[in-house]
Amino acid sequence: MTVTIAKDGSISAETHGVTGSKCLDYIPLLEDLLGAETETSEFTEDYRRTSAQAENTASQQQTLWNS
């Protein structure tokens, strides 16, 4: 997860490697931790990937590292 605080005080956050709707679970957690309220939200490419696709990608990457 990347959290960015801009000079104007606005905060943005992006999850990485969290597939499907699981990323939505982080919104209330971040709001509580940062004392902030979500104004806008967008889905990343990871949202559209399934867990099986993510596991396959991780497996392929591990295979490359072991080669």
Side-chain angles (χ1 to χ4, degrees):
M1 177 172 299
T2 303
V3 176
T4 305
I5 303 172
K7 289 181 181 181
D8 67 0
S10 62
I11 302 169
S12 64
E14 182 177 347
T15 59
H16 304 278
V18 181
T19 59
S21 63
K22 291 182 281 186
C23 61
L24 300 175
D25 295 339
Y26 290 90
I27 293 173
L29 175 66
L30 283 169
E31 288 178 335
D32 287 343
L33 288 172
L34 300 170
E37 186 176 310
T38 302
E39 290 183 12
T40 62
S41 181
E42 296 178 24
F43 293 117
T44 65
E45 286 301 314
D46 285 338
Y47 173 81
R48 293 170 189 83
R49 291 188 329 165
T50 65
S51 295
Q53 287 173 319
E55 289 174 16
N56 188 34
T57 299
S59 176
Q60 288 173 348
Q61 290 173 344
Q62 183 66 35
T63 301
L64 289 174
W65 279 100
N66 292 333
S67 299

